[in-house]
Amino acid sequence: MHVFDFNEQLHDLELRGLKRHRSVLEGPQSTHITIDNHEYLSFCSNDYLGLANDPELVEAVCEGAKQYGVGAGASHLVNGHNIAHHELEETLAQFTGFPNALLFSTGYMANIGVVTALVGRSDAIFADKLNHASLNDAAILSRAQLIRYPHLDLAVLEHRLANSRAKRKLIITDAVFSMDGDIAPVEALTYLSEKYRAMLVLDDAHGFGVLGSKGRGLLFATEIAKQHSSNIIYMATLGKAAGVFGAFVAASNEVIETLIQSARSYIYTTATPPLLSHALKKSLKLIAQGDWRRKKLMRHIQLLKEKLQTLPWPLLPSSTPIQPVIVGDVREVVRVSQALKARDILVPAIRPPTVPTGTTRLRISLSAGHQEADILRLAEELHKLAEAG
Ligand SMILES: *Cc1c(COP(=O)(O)O)cnc(C)c1O
């Protein structure tokens, strides 16, 4: 007997159809994965460019291990900062057009570090309601006043900025929203941040490598790129399109130095293995030379949208590899996801509390690693299941 009622809580999740289970992958991440000795066509990963199992990156990891060993052995500020980390930071700053960049172990830790280092008790955070959980957690941890605005509603945001007496103001937003796939209006957000003397944190976890010229991310998909406002703090992850692991923040020298001095999720943790940074330098090259991958991915997105237009379930308006199909009812979405699995296709059902009640969805994520036939097969099976429902 536990002193707390964990079992009751878990049982309750089960009854409400909200209990989550982990599948065990018996091989590399890919568009075709093996689970329980059985092969599936998968639309579940964030490996948008198909780099997670790229032979050149596997080779680079081995080379990095030979050169730098396995573990960093210490935190960045206590002798764990390796030349591989340092060179990767310089390359990332150049690539994204910012004066400076700083590596973090994960995107979750980057968001926690940035927000808590830049604002505190007498400050205010303005956050889109559909932001990623890591930004929400960061805001709470910072102890700043948290002011959330309805998804993409810049009129409400402006009103709240105008009425705030906070000492420092920080706008935080996903650049590409992770459950909806839509894109934040960066130019308008930059304008507002300048007008109200706020800083703007852009979380481009799903845009980096995919959007913009050479895959440099959302800022390079807009005019903003040419004259990065010094108000912008750009965060992107390296475990999604980049295919490896980690995250970075790119910003002004002043902001990066502030993070080095005071971001606790940067300071109080072991540096990532330098071999990963070594491989990531290679990954950045593959991203920059990867127009053919991005073109293939965009063709898949177009094709899927075209083929799913006549489904009874609406697609959200997304032009990114995240394509949500809104089914609405929790049991129905579980039925469809399980029926797809029985046909050897994996598409995750995303349920509350990850998304708002009533917007339960299939979250299809596409990759340059898919073939056209994979997209057609998914579309065909979805149509059959919609008719059977
Ligand atoms: C995945 C993700 C993160 C977290 O990044 P990790 O490197 O996986 O910790 C942060 N923000 C957004 C929007 C994400 O999608």
Side-chain angles (χ1 to χ4, degrees), residues 46 105-109 111 132 134-135 174 176 178 203 205-206 235 237-240 246-247:
N46 305 309
S105 297
T106 69
Y108 190 97
M109 291 168 76
N111 282 339
H132 190 260
S134 57
L135 284 173
D174 284 21
V176 175
S178 55
D203 175 342
H206 299 276
M235 193 288 287
T237 61
L238 300 167
K240 290 177 176 156

Side-chain angles (χ1 to χ4, degrees), residues 122-136:
S122 40
D123 307 322
I125 292 171
F126 301 81
D128 190 290
K129 275 223 167 125
L130 293 191
N131 276 351
H132 190 260
S134 57
L135 284 173
N136 295 337

Side-chain angles (χ1 to χ4, degrees), residues 127-164:
D128 190 290
K129 275 223 167 125
L130 293 191
N131 276 351
H132 190 260
S134 57
L135 284 173
N136 295 337
D137 293 358
I140 292 166
L141 196 59
S142 75
R143 299 186 176 89
Q145 185 193 6
L146 175 57
I147 300 167
R148 297 172 84 198
Y149 56 91
H151 184 46
L152 302 182
D153 193 335
L154 298 195
V156 172
L157 169 61
E158 174 154 24
H159 188 72
R160 297 195 175 155
L161 281 167
N163 285 321
S164 169

Side-chain angles (χ1 to χ4, degrees), residues 197-268:
R197 303 175 60 78
M199 303 221 52
L200 172 63
V201 173
L202 275 179
D203 175 342
D204 203 16
H206 299 276
F208 185 74
V210 175
L211 303 178
S213 102
K214 296 204 169 123
R216 287 178 165 112
L218 182 60
L219 287 172
F220 277 81
T222 68
E223 278 298 296
I224 301 292
K226 295 197 187 75
Q227 30 100 34
H228 277 347
S229 158
S230 58
N231 291 11
I232 297 181
I233 297 153
Y234 179 81
M235 193 288 287
T237 61
L238 300 167
K240 290 177 176 156
V244 187
F245 186 72
F248 69 96
V249 174
S252 67
N253 286 317
E254 201 181 336
V255 165
I256 295 298
E257 194 56 40
T258 301
L259 296 179
I260 293 172
Q261 300 305 321
S262 51
R264 297 171 68 86
S265 61
Y266 179 76
I267 299 169
Y268 297 106

Side-chain angles (χ1 to χ4, degrees), residues 273-292:
L275 63 90
L276 295 181
S277 290
H278 186 77
L280 278 160
K281 286 194 284 177
K282 183 81 203 177
S283 169
L284 285 186
K285 286 198 184 127
L286 297 181
I287 288 174
Q289 298 161 0
D291 279 346
W292 65 274

